[in-house]
């Protein structure tokens, strides 16, 4: 029998500063933000990094270049609708796209565990090739490291991307203003639930496919119709809720969401209810969140819906002056719910 006092409770999310890195530090939520601020910004901070955008924008001889990097540790490596190879290409292209940049080139680095099946590596590389060819972006430099058994879980992939920022765009998480509209390009939560369903140990078979897709064409279509868009983001780790928290905090505003307007596929909603997950925090890999001036919302929405990846686009909320909390949800019942920043880790290793 445990000696623990039943009247004393412990919280799974540390309230202080833990002296070791936790899975929650990679969630994209509150712990990630704290790690970023106290370690990386403290150690590497500079004016460009401090903007905390998905990509850095650099001025070079009159050109505005976007530069980004990302690492992919998804488990399992192959899931309905994609794999770690295509996911790595799409994720990096999307980080450039939400900065208003046309991708120019990618790099790819592989960390491979000793004993990893060669055929699986060939399959991943072939998938990367197809994904890169589909967006007409070459993979130019690369690197390979092999580590001892047990030092990695099969295969990790890092990709970096270089892009050219579209002339006239000024996108930033710090540009949301009261009166702006909040749009999303389609259903949320598909990627996270597809990866969850692919994990055999969970033993359920939700009929959901990952939404992993390159968003540069969709972003370009929106910016063509709405060049004064304030901010674009792809809601990956931490989902829609964490993305909107980042925007609200950077802009000093509050985002009000309408629960009834947020598109969610019934199988995703059912899986979330079954496992006690909030779809607002489940990751996406092929969706765009757009903050646009209120008077431009209908034009922006029409541009999204005219693109194959934006057919289910919806206006899901608005930006208002800063209130007590950054993000609130108006529920189907007519009540109001505070949407907190993700505290721990809902689903680890989903990207």
């Amino acid at each position: 029998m445990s000696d623990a006092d039943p009247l004393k409770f412990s919280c799974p999310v540390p309230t202080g500063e833990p002296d070791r890195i936790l899975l929650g530090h990679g969630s994209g939520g509150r712990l990630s933000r704290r790690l970023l601020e106290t370690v990386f910004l403290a150690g590497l901070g500079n004016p460009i990094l401090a903007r905390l955008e998905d990509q850095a924008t650099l001025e070079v001889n009159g050109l505005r270049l976007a530069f980004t990097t990302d690492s992919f540790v998804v488990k399992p490596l192959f899931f309905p609708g994609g794999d770690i190879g295509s996911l790595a290409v799409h994720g990096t292209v999307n980080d450039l796209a939400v900065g208003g940049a046309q991708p120019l080139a990618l790099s790819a680095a592989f960390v491979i565990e000793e004993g990893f099946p060669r055929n699986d590596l060939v399959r991943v590389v072939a998938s990367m090739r197809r994904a890169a060819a589909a967006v007409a972006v070459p993979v130019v430099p690369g690197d390979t490291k092999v580590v001892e058994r047990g030092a990695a879980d099969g295969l990790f992939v890092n990709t970096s991307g270089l892009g050219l920022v579209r002339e006239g765009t000024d996108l930033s998480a710090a540009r949301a203003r009261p009166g702006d509209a909040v749009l999303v390009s389609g259903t949320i939560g598909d990627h996270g639930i597809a990866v969850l369903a692919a994990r055999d140990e969970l033993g359920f078979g939700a009929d959901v496919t990952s939404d992993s897709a390159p968003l540069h064409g969709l972003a370009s279509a929106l910016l063509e119709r709405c060049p004064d868009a304030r901010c674009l983001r792809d809601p990956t780790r931490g989902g829609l809720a964490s993305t909107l928290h980042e925007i609200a905090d950077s802009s000093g505003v509050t985002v009000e969401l309408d629960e009834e307007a947020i598109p969610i596929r019934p199988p995703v909603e059912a899986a979330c209810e079954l496992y006690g997950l909030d779809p607002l925090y489940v990751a996406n890999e092929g969706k765009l969140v757009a903050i646009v001036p209120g008077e431009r919302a209908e034009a922006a929405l029409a541009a999204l819906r005219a693109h194959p990846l934006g057919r289910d686009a919806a206006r899901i909320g608005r930006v208002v002056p800063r209130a007590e909390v950054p993000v609130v949800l108006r529920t189907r019942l007519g009540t109001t719910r505070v949407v907190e920043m993700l505290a721990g880790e809902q689903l680890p290793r989903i990207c």
Side-chain angles (χ1 to χ4, degrees), residues 52-350:
L52 297 181
E53 305 291 350
D54 286 347
Q55 70 301 123
T57 300
L58 309 170
E59 300 273 355
V60 182
N61 293 333
L63 295 177
R64 295 173 67 207
L65 297 176
F67 183 45
T68 189
T69 191
D70 206 344
S71 296
F72 296 85
V73 297
V74 64
K75 181 180 182 179
L77 299 176
F78 304 95
F79 49 84
D83 56 69
I84 193 171
S86 57
L87 182 67
V89 172
H90 295 160
T92 302
V93 165
N94 293 348
D95 282 346
L96 295 172
V98 297
Q102 178 66 31
L104 297 175
L106 304 179
S107 72
F110 300 83
V111 178
I112 309 167
E113 184 179 6
E114 180 187 19
F116 185 74
R118 188 178 187 281
N119 285 344
D120 283 354
L121 182 61
V122 170
R123 188 177 165 193
V124 167
V125 172
S127 177
M128 291 188 76
R129 184 186 68 244
R130 289 192 298 271
V135 294
V137 179
V139 177
V140 275
D143 182 57
T144 301
K145 297 288 188 298
V146 178
V147 298
E148 301 89 342
R149 289 179 188 271
D153 191 5
L155 176 68
F156 298 151
V157 178
N158 174 273
T159 45
S160 297
L162 184 68
L164 183 63
V165 178
R166 182 189 183 94
E167 190 174 351
T169 58
D170 184 14
L171 299 169
S172 171
R175 292 195 68 235
R177 298 290 180 268
D180 289 350
V182 182
L183 313 180
V184 67
S185 64
T187 54
I188 64 168
D190 297 15
H191 175 73
I193 296 302
V195 173
L196 183 65
R199 293 177 180 170
D200 292 336
E201 68 268 23
L202 292 173
F204 81 104
D207 184 20
V208 180
T209 299
S210 169
D211 60 351
S212 179
L215 295 172
H216 63 305
L218 184 66
S220 180
L222 184 146
L223 292 172
E224 192 69 34
R225 291 285 300 275
C226 186
D228 51 352
R230 314 281 198 200
C231 173
L232 303 182
R233 282 291 176 100
D234 56 333
T236 53
R237 291 177 307 162
L240 179 65
S242 295
T243 294
L244 293 177
H245 261 274
E246 292 172 4
I247 295 171
D249 286 339
S250 295
S251 296
V253 297
T254 285
V255 173
E256 289 184 350
L257 293 173
D258 297 319
E259 184 178 31
E260 202 161 14
I262 299 173
I264 307 176
R265 296 187 196 283
V268 170
E269 199 159 26
C272 287
E273 289 178 1
L274 181 64
Y275 286 96
L277 302 174
D278 187 335
L280 293 179
Y281 298 96
V282 178
N284 315 270
E285 290 291 345
K287 296 301 185 307
L288 197 66
V289 171
I291 308 293
V292 301
E295 65 274 16
R296 307 283 291 166
E298 289 306 313
L301 201 54
L304 291 174
R305 287 174 174 166
H307 192 279
L309 293 177
R311 285 190 293 255
D312 296 322
R315 183 174 181 169
I316 60 171
R318 66 203 65 80
V319 178
V320 300
R322 186 59 178 253
E324 292 184 6
V325 295
V327 184
V328 294
L329 180 75
R330 297 191 181 282
T331 71
R332 294 186 178 95
L333 300 176
T335 59
T336 300
R337 177 191 131 198
V338 174
V339 179
E340 299 281 3
M341 189 84 167
L342 184 62
E345 178 69 279
Q346 272 210 142
L347 292 173
R349 297 186 57 183
I350 40 73

